[in-house]
Amino acid sequence: MAPKTGRRARIVVAVVVTAGILTGCSGAGSGDDTAGSSLGEPQATAPAAGAGTTPSAEESPTTSGGYPTCDEAKAALGPEVSSLIELEGSDNGITTGVDGPELICSWHTPETDGSSIDVEEYGGISIGISRDPEYTEESMEPVGWTVDVPAVSAAGAWALKVGGGYDPAEQLDITGVQVIRDGVVVVLTSGGVALQDVPQLASLTNEWAMNGGVALLDLVR
């Protein structure tokens, strides 16, 4: 059990580090996606060749892990992230992890590209999707980080808040949340350059992230 806990903790760190590295980049990418409906209603090593928001025509569910593209993931997360951008030089896309292909995506506030002096608005959100069939709710219960989220349970999944202390109304932070179903693990994290809450990301609450995790699970083939 301990090794699995450590493995997943490393995935959380990998997503956070990815966001931190990209925050230091300059130049905005293309992020003016048209988002879907609001969610509130009803992990990684070197990137694989061609990694990005749009896979090559030859990419199959086997090489992509059956994961969505970053563009598809962003659309599924709803209008709350529609104004966020992919920074130039980002490694968004499929990477090779310890258990096979993983998806890593990060989007940032437009200010993060260095075009603004409003440092308090520098920040963004990162998601990671991976597979680990041995990562189960039973294995994590002794850690005390599992949380009861009715919307997640209704989708046949279970949820975890790293460190515990889940408050659905709080802004998603750098420790993030995880939503897991049938061995597919979705990690969502958010934060600013100084690990602070970012005003522009206020609508990205823990509850929003839990619903977002379910939406991303539904995209996995």
Side-chain angles (χ1 to χ4, degrees):
M1 179 176 63
K4 287 297 176 182
T5 303
R7 173 184 295 177
R8 197 53 53 200
R10 287 195 297 273
I11 290 176
V12 174
V13 171
V15 174
V16 172
V17 169
T18 300
I21 292 173
L22 297 182
T23 299
C25 299
S26 63
S30 59
D32 299 328
D33 301 51
T34 301
S37 60
S38 175
L39 293 168
E41 293 178 355
Q43 304 167 289
T45 57
T53 56
T54 305
S56 66
E58 293 78 16
E59 189 170 69
S60 69
T62 299
T63 58
S64 71
Y67 304 135
T69 66
C70 287
D71 285 344
E72 291 169 336
K74 185 181 181 186
L77 290 175
E80 291 86 350
V81 300
S82 62
S83 65
L84 301 184
I85 64 174
E86 178 183 339
L87 296 185
E88 183 179 345
S90 75
D91 289 331
N92 278 10
I94 300 297
T95 69
T96 302
V98 293
D99 292 316
E102 300 174 359
L103 179 71
I104 297 287
C105 309
S106 293
W107 304 279
H108 294 75
T109 61
E111 292 82 356
T112 309
D113 72 353
S115 63
S116 170
I117 62 173
D118 297 327
V119 179
E120 69 275 8
E121 292 287 5
Y122 283 31
I125 179 173
S126 293
I127 67 150
I129 308 180
S130 62
R131 297 179 190 271
D132 185 349
E134 296 181 40
Y135 191 60
T136 65
E137 187 171 10
E138 292 74 21
S139 70
M140 290 304 298
E141 280 180 349
V143 182
W145 292 355
T146 57
V147 294
D148 181 17
V149 181
V152 173
S153 299
W158 58 279
L160 180 152
K161 176 71 176 76
V162 177
Y166 174 73
D167 181 341
E170 282 188 352
Q171 187 171 333
L172 180 69
D173 61 22
I174 197 167
T175 66
V177 302
Q178 300 179 31
V179 182
I180 305 96
R181 182 171 64 198
D182 299 330
V184 177
V185 184
V186 175
V187 181
L188 300 96
T189 65
S190 180
V193 293
L195 310 186
Q196 82 283 10
D197 285 349
V198 179
Q200 195 174 144
L201 305 180
S203 63
L204 307 187
T205 63
N206 287 326
E207 181 178 31
W208 169 86
M210 291 295 186
N211 287 313
V214 171
L216 293 175
L217 283 175
D218 289 342
L219 294 180
V220 178
R221 300 185 292 276

